Amino acid sequence: MKLATKSEMNQLDQEALIKYHIPSLLLMEQAASRLFEYVVAHHKGKRILILCGPGNNGGDGLALARQLVCLGGMQVRIGLATTLDKLSKDGKCYYAICEKLGIPCVNVLIDRKQQEEHMEWAEVIVDGIFGTGLTRNVEGDLAMLLQQVNKVNAFKLSIDMPSGIACDTGDVLGEAIRADCTITFQMGKVGQFLYPGMTYIGELRIVEIGIPGQLVEEMRGKYCAIDKTLVQKLLPDRPVRSNKGSYGKVLMIGGQKGMSGAICMASLGAMRVGAGVVTIAVPTSLTDIVEQKVTEAMTLPLPEWQGHLAKEAAEVIHACIKNYSVVSIGPGLGRGEDLQKIMEVVVQSDKPLVIDADGLHALKPHLEKLKQRTAPVILTPHVGEMSALCGVGIPEILNSPVEYARTFSETYNVIVVLKLERMIVAVPRQDTIYINTKGHQAIAKGGAGDVLTGFVTGLLACSKQPESATLLGCYLHGDTTKRLVAYKGEYSVLPTDLLEYVGESFKDIMSL
């Protein structure tokens, strides 16, 4: 599913007018019809207060008021959060209609007493104040209005975007309405899928308003949601005539004394998503533990020193790496100069790589070598690891996660999966950023990243398509988590549960 920025939506509206002669007034009427259908279906008979701001968002609210009164016979009041001269041309048209219909209207910024009375009266408040057009912080009387809306118990329905949320970034611009439901038009907006905006939208409904689908298909957007529709096209084939060798041979490198669980979860993850053969390369002293935890995998004992892989392990890996189709390194690996020597061997190989956790720490001295690699590299850092790779503070990453992921991906020719509330995926030589639609804070526990590493690695072994493997792996991780939350609650989900239940997500993706 493509996601739109404010400028892209404006361009779509213009192209609908220029190429198909669809006037903006008709699009506004269609938007109001979709809002009307929702309100009648879910709030029939309730008292509705529609807050209308400047521009087309307020016009949508006024158009809705007309339909609710004329077609729904509902009790409606209008609260203007602007002056009449700041309404759009179409908004002024609908205001004149509402005035003739005798719909009660008051400027809620001027008359504070009536503002409070209207809000106490309302059972549903429709937020048509700013929508996608906001570009500066909300201050003064408008900020106080948004605060008041959040305090009342009425159901809050936002038009296109909760007022106060930046359309392109999800940032809170001073103050913002916390909606119970947001109905957005034609396409999802980027800020609805990024933190903190994603926490303000409530239930998100994306509805069509009559913009021709061909215009949306032709739009070269910069953002795309990782959703079921997308990943259904990415499932690797599993033909009847195949064997374990058909689905790749994976070398998983990691583990240290006290951290054998990480490499075991990653290895099980790779097998759960379809990898044919997995070999786990760990310090010799860990092989017995690993063989008991992952009975389906093979082990490769490696030289060690004080519970970590020793530099001599690099020679063993160099000698056997040619036998594998995909190499994954990092889970439970530990840190030290010896590990950088091992990473040097891995990076200099011609194998597709998935690097996570301590592998990212060992990778940093070798970043420049990634630019010359022809085989794909997938990195899966959390914010702290991304901070270390980029040489900036964590707050900087959190303030601009998309740009840091995009820039790092392009600079070093790697796919970056930045693990946040919703995973952000940047692919080199593309202008598209992918944002996962699935995920839940329930899985904010040690080991979750190791499972993701396994999912991506196993899918890469099966499909040999790095972008597809990454997107599908992220979706499976997030979707399985959501399913587990519904079953176990948000406190009790464990990363190992993902290994057991990922098949449910697979089955859903395969369903029509």
Side-chain angles (χ1 to χ4, degrees):
M1 175 178 67
K2 290 181 180 178
L3 302 177
T5 63
K6 175 180 177 291
S7 62
E8 287 166 349
M9 282 309 302
N10 290 340
Q11 181 181 346
L12 272 183
D13 289 345
Q14 287 298 311
E15 290 183 354
L17 174 61
I18 295 169
K19 294 182 179 180
Y20 291 89
H21 304 290
I22 301 174
S24 57
L25 189 69
L26 179 57
L27 294 178
M28 187 171 286
E29 182 71 8
Q30 286 288 91
S33 294
R34 302 292 82 77
L35 293 164
F36 171 81
E37 290 167 359
Y38 175 83
V39 173
V40 170
H42 297 274
H43 302 286
K44 180 70 174 177
K46 294 181 181 178
R47 299 183 297 273
I48 312 295
L49 171 63
I50 304 177
L51 299 176
C52 301
N56 285 330
N57 201 244
D60 293 335
L62 292 164
L64 173 62
R66 182 196 73 80
Q67 292 195 20
L68 289 174
V69 170
C70 293
L71 303 178
M74 298 181 69
Q75 300 179 69
V76 177
R77 294 184 184 180
I78 297 170
L80 281 182
T82 185
T83 54
L84 294 180
D85 61 297
K86 291 184 179 178
L87 290 173
S88 66
K89 180 181 177 181
D90 296 337
K92 290 175 181 176
C93 173
Y94 280 109
Y95 176 82
I97 295 173
C98 291
E99 190 175 36
K100 289 294 184 181
L101 290 171
I103 301 174
C105 179
V106 63
N107 190 310
V108 291
L109 297 182
I110 296 175
D111 196 327
R112 188 65 55 81
K113 183 178 180 180
Q114 287 205 40
Q115 176 193 119
E116 294 176 0
E117 192 275 326
H118 275 48
M119 290 199 187
E120 290 176 3
W121 171 85
E123 295 173 283
V124 176
I125 295 177
V126 179
D127 161 31
I129 303 173
F130 293 124
T132 62
L134 189 65
T135 57
R136 62 180 185 277
N137 277 4
V138 181
E139 300 174 340
D141 291 339
L142 283 167
M144 293 177 65
L145 174 63
L146 302 193
Q147 291 171 1
Q148 185 63 27
V149 171
N150 286 333
K151 288 179 182 178
V152 299
N153 291 325
F155 185 91
K156 301 166 188 70
L157 172 64
S158 286
I159 300 175
D160 224 10
M161 180 73 72
S163 291
I165 299 297
C167 177
D168 294 356
T169 65
D171 292 337
V172 177
L173 299 178
E175 196 70 45
I177 286 178
R178 291 189 176 274
D180 296 298
C181 178
T182 299
I183 295 180
T184 197
F185 304 131
Q186 205 66 43
M187 301 175 67
K189 311 306 185 294
V190 177
Q192 294 163 347
F193 293 85
L194 294 175
Y195 185 88
M198 53 178 278
T199 67
Y200 282 73
I201 62 172
E203 177 191 5
L204 179 64
R205 292 181 174 234
I206 303 172
V207 299
E208 295 189 3
I209 58 172
I211 293 177
Q214 185 175 349
L215 289 180
V216 177
E217 291 176 9
E218 293 173 350
M219 187 186 82
R220 297 186 63 183
K222 295 183 177 181
Y223 297 88
C224 188
I226 308 172
D227 60 4
K228 181 177 176 180
T229 302
L230 174 65
V231 300
Q232 279 180 322
K233 306 171 186 176
L234 307 180
L235 285 171
D237 292 331
R238 293 191 79 84
V240 173
R241 177 161 287 182
S242 60
N243 56 60
K244 61 185 180 183
S246 305
Y247 304 110
K249 296 182 178 180
V250 174
L251 179 64
M252 305 286 298
I253 305 171
Q256 62 172 308
K257 186 176 181 180
M259 294 186 66
S260 60
I263 194 67
C264 291
M265 284 188 286
S267 301
L268 281 167
M271 300 193 80
R272 284 288 190 182
V273 298
V277 178
V278 174
T279 297
I280 309 174
V282 292
T284 300
S285 62
L286 296 184
T287 54
D288 287 346
I289 297 173
V290 169
E291 287 171 2
Q292 292 180 47
K293 285 179 172 287
V294 192
T295 55
E296 297 88 350
M298 295 184 291
T299 56
L300 175 64
L302 294 176
E304 64 180 288
W305 182 75
Q306 295 185 346
H308 295 75
L309 292 179
K311 61 183 178 181
E312 289 79 11
E315 299 174 11
V316 179
I317 293 171
H318 182 267
C320 70
I321 200 169
K322 61 180 179 294
N323 300 321
Y324 299 94
S325 54
V326 176
V327 178
S328 182
I329 181 170
L333 186 66
R335 300 185 179 185
E337 293 183 5
D338 287 356
L339 301 175
Q340 292 179 7
K341 179 63 176 177
I342 295 169
M343 181 60 70
E344 182 179 7
V345 169
V346 170
V347 170
Q348 289 178 345
S349 74
D350 61 353
K351 301 300 178 180
L353 305 179
V354 180
I355 305 175
D356 183 37
D358 289 333
L360 297 169
H361 182 267
L363 174 67
K364 191 166 184 181
H366 306 289
L367 286 176
E368 290 298 319
K369 298 172 186 174
L370 297 178
K371 297 178 180 179
Q372 282 74 48
R373 288 192 108 247
T374 55
V377 179
I378 303 170
L379 309 183
T380 60
H382 57 53
V383 173
E385 291 160 346
M386 194 70 191
S387 168
L389 286 171
C390 294
V392 300
I394 290 177
E396 284 76 12
I397 301 293
L398 291 174
N399 285 337
S400 303
V402 169
E403 292 313 310
Y404 276 103
R406 190 200 306 271
T407 301
F408 195 92
S409 172
E410 290 297 330
T411 301
Y412 295 105
N413 189 35
V414 296
I415 295 176
V416 174
V417 179
L418 181 53
K419 295 180 290 195
L420 286 164
E421 303 80 18
R422 296 291 182 269
M423 297 177 203
I424 295 171
V425 179
V427 181
R429 297 180 298 280
Q430 284 193 18
D431 201 23
T432 302
I433 288 289
Y434 295 91
I435 304 173
N436 202 8
T437 58
K438 302 288 186 174
H440 197 280
Q441 60 271 25
I443 205 63
K445 297 176 180 177
D450 303 312
V451 174
L452 175 66
T453 298
F455 284 177
V456 173
T457 302
L459 291 165
L460 180 57
C462 293
S463 68
K464 303 176 179 61
Q465 302 293 324
E467 182 179 337
S468 297
T470 303
L471 299 179
L472 180 55
C474 290
Y475 181 87
L476 288 169
H477 193 279
D479 185 62
T480 306
T481 301
K482 292 283 285 185
R483 292 172 184 278
L484 283 164
V485 169
Y487 173 55
K488 292 191 169 188
E490 64 179 86
Y491 291 94
S492 300
V493 177
L494 294 176
T496 48
D497 294 332
L498 298 178
L499 301 171
E500 183 177 353
Y501 284 88
V502 68
E504 297 301 314
S505 186
F506 266 120
K507 287 192 291 185
D508 180 68
I509 294 170
M510 295 170 69
S511 66
L512 298 178

